[in-house]
């Protein structure tokens, strides 16, 4: 029998049956796609974008390109540079006049090395991180020697950490690093994590795929581990993995699927990892399709900027790197456990209560409902928290705190093992939390 899952003060998303013991009746997991907004003229276009939200400011990085002779090598060529834009609201953008690199546009924040091909910054949230290294980045290509490390105090003024690469290309994997390679500090794993691109032999065919490695100091990286999530014959061009802003123990990625035999058409999928475990795809098909715009059906026309960021109390935003479109979605709204017209009953796995208020992110129809019951470690309903005592819920809220005869106090003490049982009818349950 599995050990009870410690429910600390954190949020857990219902993206699969990880937290399930049983599902009975008209219940299924449902994928929700984000909504595309009209094109925003100020939103930058460019490959391998990263958006970082910190200190009330949205920072966006992308690859710019000056004209170069046709014979110039494509990856890391001298015309590439790393461009920067910022926004106060995540909706409209400005390109500041920095003039840091002669011969480059005013908003260039890095130039003069092959790292501009895929310069991928992140905000280092490691406790004790020196202020002058608050922002970090990796960039580089295989024929340029590998991935080089960079640091910055403000996300604008960057310096190279060393003349030598922080990570050499794997000798057995050609075209390593040839896209966006994304790193971050993981509070769950207590180390730096890097997901990078490789060409991996899978069932006799070289596929664009994803490897993972870790580091204690960001300068020295362990040998990589292949993440086996490619479907048969499927290319995954980027991973865009990052800790989810509302539940950092969950990593979420938006890999681009690449169909070489269909004119190099692309679309965007969705993948997850819990606390650094295996990558998995609850719904391995397309999450965001190209749509009716012919330009979105061209070669490599569909990438999302790395990071899903909050742009309001009830809104998350994602940025399409080539079209100038922003996508919006409900917080935690990737996948839901949905009760249909008849409804059904879900029982959670055994949980250890770590203290705090229990809440749910849930939406029902006008005729739908949700009811909650708590069970002890032996599966018996806890007095004071039974279905018979529950105040039936219907509505749409990111934070529903259940009550039983008007009381929200839980008949639990820290360390108690319990289960939740939920009845869902015409309802979508996205996540639960103790806080």
């Amino acid at each position: 029998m599995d050990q009870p899952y410690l429910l600390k003060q954190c949020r857990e998303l219902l993206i699969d049956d990880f937290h399930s013991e049983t599902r009975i009746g008209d219940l299924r997991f449902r994928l929700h796609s984000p909504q595309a907004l009209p094109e925003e003229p100020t939103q930058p276009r460019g490959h391998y974008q990263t958006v970082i939200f910190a200190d009330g400011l949205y920072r966006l990085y992308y690859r710019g390109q000056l004209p170069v002779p046709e014979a110039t090598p494509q990856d890391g060529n001298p015309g590439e540079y790393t461009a920067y834009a910022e926004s106060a609201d995540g909706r409209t953008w400005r390109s500041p006049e920095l003039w840091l690199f002669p011969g480059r546009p005013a908003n260039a924040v890095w130039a003069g090395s092959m790292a501009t091909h895929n310069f991928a910054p992140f905000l280092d949230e490691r406790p004790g991180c020196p202020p002058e290294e608050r922002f970090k980045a990796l960039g580089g290509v295989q024929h340029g020697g590998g991935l080089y490390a960079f640091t910055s105090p403000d996300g604008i003024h960057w310096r190279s950490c060393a003349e030598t690469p922080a990570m050499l290309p794997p000798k057995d994997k050609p075209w390593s690093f040839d896209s966006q390679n994304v790193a971050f500090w993981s509070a769950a794993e207590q180390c730096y994590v890097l997901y990078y691109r490789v060409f991996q032999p899978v069932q006799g065919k070289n596929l664009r795929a994803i490897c993972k490695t870790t580091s204690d100091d960001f300068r020295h990286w362990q040998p990589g581990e292949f993440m086996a999530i490619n479907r048969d014959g499927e290319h995954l061009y980027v991973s865009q993995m990052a800790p989810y802003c509302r539940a950092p123990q969950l990593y979420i990625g938006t890999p681009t699927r690449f169909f070489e035999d269909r004119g190099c058409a692309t679309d965007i999928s969705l993948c997850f990892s819990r606390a650094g475990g295996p990558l998995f795809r609850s719904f391995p098909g397309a999450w965001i399709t190209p749509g009716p715009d012919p330009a979105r059906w061209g070669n490599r026309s569909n990438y999302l900027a790395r990071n899903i960021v909050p742009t309001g109390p009830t809104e998350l935003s994602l940025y399409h790197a080539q079209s100038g479109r922003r996508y919006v979605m409900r917080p935690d709204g990737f996948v839901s456990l949905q009760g249909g017209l008849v409804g059904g009953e879900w029982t959670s796995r055994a949980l250890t209560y770590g203290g705090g208020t229990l809440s749910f992110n849930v939406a029902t129809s006008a005729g739908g409902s949700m009811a909650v019951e708590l069970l002890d470690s032996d599966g018996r309903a806890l007095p004071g928290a039974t279905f018979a005592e529950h105040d039936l819920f219907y509505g749409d809220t990111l934070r529903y705190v259940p009550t039983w005869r008007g009381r929200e106090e839980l008949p639990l003490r820290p360390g108690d093992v319990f289960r939740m049982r939920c009845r869902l009818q015409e309802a979508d349950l996205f996540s639960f939390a103790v806080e």
Side-chain angles (χ1 to χ4, degrees):
M1 182 177 178
D2 290 341
Q3 291 294 316
Y5 181 85
L6 178 58
L7 192 59
K8 298 179 290 186
Q9 294 205 359
C10 62
R11 179 167 302 279
E12 301 290 339
L13 274 62
L14 287 165
I15 50 179
D16 62 2
D17 272 322
F18 178 79
H19 287 298
S20 301
E21 184 172 86
T22 60
R23 284 191 283 131
I24 301 172
D26 188 10
L27 290 179
R28 66 186 180 96
F29 286 100
R30 176 190 174 193
L31 179 68
H32 299 261
S33 292
Q35 174 189 357
L37 298 183
E39 180 180 332
E40 168 53 50
T42 65
Q43 185 175 314
R45 280 87 163 157
H47 283 87
Y48 303 152
Q49 292 191 359
T50 299
V51 61
I52 298 173
F53 176 56
D55 308 321
L57 184 67
Y58 298 84
R59 300 167 171 87
L60 194 151
Y61 303 83
Y62 60 101
R63 188 178 75 206
Q65 176 68 63
L66 296 176
V68 294
E70 291 185 6
T72 303
Q74 182 179 2
D75 296 349
N77 70 63
E80 294 178 348
Y81 61 94
T82 301
Y84 170 81
E86 59 188 30
S87 172
D89 58 9
R91 292 166 171 79
T92 59
W93 299 84
R94 60 179 291 270
S95 297
E97 295 192 3
L98 304 170
W99 300 113
L100 299 178
F101 293 91
R104 295 294 187 273
N107 68 330
V109 293
W110 190 255
S113 77
M114 289 188 179
T116 55
H117 182 70
N118 51 10
F119 194 86
F122 68 96
L123 176 67
D124 188 350
E125 300 187 277
R126 178 178 64 85
C129 175
E132 64 273 17
E133 297 187 359
R134 186 170 177 236
F135 292 84
K136 290 182 171 66
L138 289 172
V141 293
Q142 186 172 38
H143 64 266
L147 291 180
Y148 291 79
F150 303 83
T151 59
S152 170
D154 56 8
I156 294 176
H157 300 88
W158 294 88
R159 70 174 185 87
S160 177
C161 294
E163 294 183 1
T164 55
M167 186 174 178
L168 296 171
K171 294 181 180 179
D172 61 337
K173 291 180 171 58
W175 296 104
S176 295
F177 311 143
D178 183 27
S179 70
Q180 198 167 355
N181 308 285
V182 293
F184 53 89
W185 168 258
S186 169
E189 297 185 69
Q190 287 294 295
C191 62
Y192 292 100
V193 174
L194 167 65
Y195 290 92
Y196 62 97
R197 214 297 289 279
V198 295
F199 244 29
Q200 176 77 21
V202 180
Q203 297 179 353
K205 181 179 180 181
N206 276 334
L207 298 177
R208 294 165 176 87
I210 301 165
C211 278
K212 176 195 173 187
T213 182
T214 60
S215 170
D216 293 329
D217 61 5
F218 189 65
R219 270 71 169 178
H220 306 88
W221 296 87
Q222 297 298 316
E225 175 189 2
F226 173 56
M227 301 282 101
I229 61 168
N230 296 65
R231 300 178 71 203
D232 186 24
E234 178 187 59
H235 293 272
L236 297 177
Y237 214 92
V238 293
S239 74
Q240 306 299 52
M241 296 297 293
Y244 176 47
C245 58
R246 286 170 52 88
Q249 79 280 7
L250 179 69
Y251 309 160
I252 299 180
T254 56
T256 289
R257 302 193 306 169
F258 176 72
F259 297 91
E260 201 164 20
D261 59 347
R262 297 189 176 190
C264 299
T266 52
D267 58 28
I268 296 164
S269 189
L270 187 63
C271 65
F272 305 95
S273 173
R274 286 189 173 91
L279 293 187
F280 64 94
R281 298 158 75 184
S282 307
F283 293 84
W287 187 47
I288 298 176
T289 60
D293 182 359
R296 293 277 292 269
W297 289 90
N299 184 1
R300 295 169 174 84
S301 297
N302 292 285
Y303 297 90
L304 287 182
R306 187 207 180 193
N307 287 325
I308 299 166
V309 295
T311 46
T314 61
E315 178 186 271
L316 297 179
S317 287
L318 310 89
Y319 300 88
H320 192 272
Q322 285 77 43
S323 68
R325 288 184 179 271
R326 180 167 65 99
Y327 285 76
V328 294
M329 60 177 289
R330 178 193 189 96
D332 313 337
F334 305 94
V335 177
S336 69
L337 179 61
Q338 183 182 62
L341 185 64
V342 176
E345 191 171 277
W346 171 77
T347 302
S348 77
R349 64 187 294 182
L351 306 167
T352 300
Y353 180 59
T357 300
L358 179 66
S359 68
F360 298 88
N361 182 343
V362 59
T364 79
S365 68
S369 64
M370 175 179 174
V372 182
E373 181 175 76
L374 302 184
L375 313 175
D376 65 16
S377 58
D378 295 319
R380 297 173 298 215
L382 287 169
T386 66
F387 281 137
E389 298 164 292
H390 182 260
D391 301 315
L392 193 69
F393 170 80
Y394 53 90
D396 188 337
T397 179
L398 301 180
R399 188 178 184 272
Y400 163 58
V401 177
T403 60
W404 294 268
R405 293 180 178 168
R407 296 171 57 88
E408 66 179 47
E409 292 82 4
L410 302 177
L412 296 170
R413 295 173 298 179
D416 285 351
V417 175
F418 75 108
R419 289 174 175 81
M420 297 182 295
R421 183 172 288 161
C422 298
R423 289 175 177 167
L424 300 169
Q425 182 178 14
E426 290 190 61
D428 287 288
L429 180 58
F430 296 94
S431 67
F432 63 92
V434 288
E435 48 193 338

